[in-house]
Amino acid sequence: MKNKIQSLAKQLTYATGLQLILVAGSLSLLGFNLGRNTVIGEKEAHRADLPIVRLSARLSNKLSFPLIINQLNEAAIASDPNILRDFDRLSLRFWRQLRSFPVDYINYGAEDGSFIGIEKTKDGTFLHNEDSKRFGRGNMVVYSMTNNGERHNQKDIISGMSETHQEAWYLDTVKAGKPTWSEIYAWEDQPETFSISYNAPIFNNDNKLIGVVGVDMILNRLSTWLQEVWKDQSGLALIVESNGDIIASSEPNNILISSGKNIARANIKDLKSPLAILLSN
């Protein structure tokens, strides 16, 4: 039990304030407080049962993939910095990684505001998203990709993108000055999509920031994963932030609420599950 908890803590050591709550069929509860200088401990006196221990181990493993990918990309950039000037090469690299790892999005944002991101869609296809000088800054151009990972047909163009990176994946990483988990944020080009990401700043030989490379995990897909892992168990499994905002739920319809055209993340207080109500009190 102790080793499992420490393993998860190591994977998320930079996720300030993130909290995981896994609820079994009765009142068994395992909670984690994850801070920059904190350790993980049990939140409740109740001992976690075996399904929760297994789930925490699988979650720890899943959350390790963004760290691995970032380390690989940091090493590749260090050995060949010119790859950052060739978005087609980066695109192919990210595409190959998305095929090999269970993550949803891999991207690079340069200090001048340009951006390249490769997205794995729900149906398993891939999209090349780019905002760069060659296509006109301020426009996110979306392309389909071939079976060989090459940019193919233009599918969409999203105008009015910010001149500089304003999302948490970039801002949180620049502020930290080292690899870190971001706060959860909505995508600028897809405001109905929320994700959490692990990112690393990239510096040149003069220690000047030149960009950020990172990996996203989309919340509704994390919930789908949680639903599949928890399908043979009773009760509810939740991953929440310390303020109660839901990151993932074994009941995926729980994670977002809508009011008119506005979409926001649900809080544990919004759930009607008796267990969730008990936890929110």
Side-chain angles (χ1 to χ4, degrees), residues 150-167:
E150 297 172 334
R151 182 165 48 85
H152 192 41
N153 294 324
Q154 181 177 317
K155 295 179 65 67
D156 197 6
I157 181 166
I158 303 167
S159 60
M161 299 295 292
S162 300
E163 292 185 8
T164 58
H165 302 297
Q166 298 298 317
E167 295 170 325

Side-chain angles (χ1 to χ4, degrees), residues 184-187 190-195 219-220 241 243-247 252-268 270-271:
I184 292 170
Y185 67 99
W187 291 3
Q190 299 179 43
E192 74 285 356
T193 299
F194 293 83
S195 70
L219 298 197
N220 60 4
E241 291 189 270
N243 65 358
D245 285 348
I246 297 171
I247 298 171
N253 291 335
N254 284 341
I255 66 171
L256 297 177
I257 55 176
S258 58
S259 177
K261 294 183 178 180
N262 296 322
I263 299 176
R265 293 169 55 210
N267 188 279
I268 194 170
D270 299 318
L271 303 186

Side-chain angles (χ1 to χ4, degrees), residues 204-218:
N204 64 15
N205 292 334
D206 298 323
N207 205 34
K208 181 181 181 297
L209 179 75
I210 57 177
V212 170
V213 64
V215 181
D216 279 73
M217 303 184 78
I218 298 174

Side-chain angles (χ1 to χ4, degrees), residues 27 34 55 67 89 143 164 216 218 247 261 276:
L27 290 181
L34 304 180
L55 176 53
L67 282 72
R89 285 178 62 200
Y143 289 90
T164 58
D216 279 73
I218 298 174
I247 298 171
K261 294 183 178 180

Side-chain angles (χ1 to χ4, degrees), residues 113-179:
S114 57
F115 175 86
I116 172 71
I118 306 304
E119 177 182 355
K120 184 190 297 179
T121 67
K122 289 182 180 180
D123 61 8
T125 59
F126 299 90
L127 297 175
H128 172 117
N129 302 273
E130 183 173 338
D131 180 356
S132 67
K133 291 181 180 179
R134 66 174 173 173
F135 298 134
R137 280 301 321 282
N139 297 310
M140 179 71 76
V141 186
V142 182
Y143 289 90
S144 63
M145 302 186 76
T146 69
N147 292 333
N148 295 321
E150 297 172 334
R151 182 165 48 85
H152 192 41
N153 294 324
Q154 181 177 317
K155 295 179 65 67
D156 197 6
I157 181 166
I158 303 167
S159 60
M161 299 295 292
S162 300
E163 292 185 8
T164 58
H165 302 297
Q166 298 298 317
E167 295 170 325
W169 67 270
Y170 191 90
L171 298 181
D172 289 356
T173 307
V174 172
K175 182 178 180 181
K178 58 185 178 181

